Amino acid sequence: MLRKAVLYLAIGWIVLVVAGFGVLYGAATLNATTVHSDRGVTEENADEYRWSGKTIALTDNLRKNGWASCEVVPDSGERRDIRSPRDDSAVSYRQYQPWFSGTATVTCGEKVTIRSGATLAMYKLATSRLVWFGSAAIAAIPLVLALIRHYGLVRVRR
């Protein structure tokens, strides 16, 4: 009876870890700003993002043309173009530090996702290999130990 209880607790632990990781990943990926324009940016169809001067990360949602390009027009400062990573890149986002003071308007020619602040921090955490493998280990170790105990693969001396 105790062996089954330990096994059920280990399975419950896995469900809890996977659910926790799912919540973290979901919050990190869904809590972002999407800027989109299929037809190229014109004054009539441009979605805009107001960049408040914090670090941002840019992700190309479609990855059909190699990368997405966005135009950044600061209220005070130099106008620049920024790009997402190439479609053959190992990274999923590109970070940008503000080069201006105040705020800026970002318009993009393709569908992109922009993250900043806490959303960016959670996204970095959720997409890091250390968290992926660490979560798998945290979930798997109790199950392996419970299975060893349940099937009597290791005898404990008393």
Side-chain angles (χ1 to χ4, degrees), residues 68-125:
S69 181
C70 298
E71 180 183 34
V72 180
V73 181
D75 294 340
S76 61
E78 168 190 0
R79 181 212 142 308
R80 289 188 191 171
D81 289 331
I82 59 175
R83 290 183 172 176
S84 68
R86 293 189 56 83
D87 59 354
D88 57 356
S89 175
V91 296
S92 61
Y93 62 91
R94 181 173 286 160
Q95 272 189 219
Y96 288 96
Q97 302 289 333
W99 60 89
F100 53 87
S101 60
T103 60
T105 301
V106 180
T107 54
C108 302
E110 293 184 46
K111 188 173 183 179
V112 298
T113 301
I114 300 174
R115 294 177 178 85
S116 66
T119 303
L120 176 56
M122 287 189 334
Y123 186 73
K124 284 181 185 179
L125 186 64

Side-chain angles (χ1 to χ4, degrees), residues 18 22 35-36 46 52 59 81 95 103 113 123 140 144 148 154 157:
V18 169
V35 180
H36 181 246
S52 65
T59 306
D81 289 331
Q95 272 189 219
T103 60
T113 301
Y123 186 73
V144 169
I148 288 171
V154 174
R157 291 185 182 179

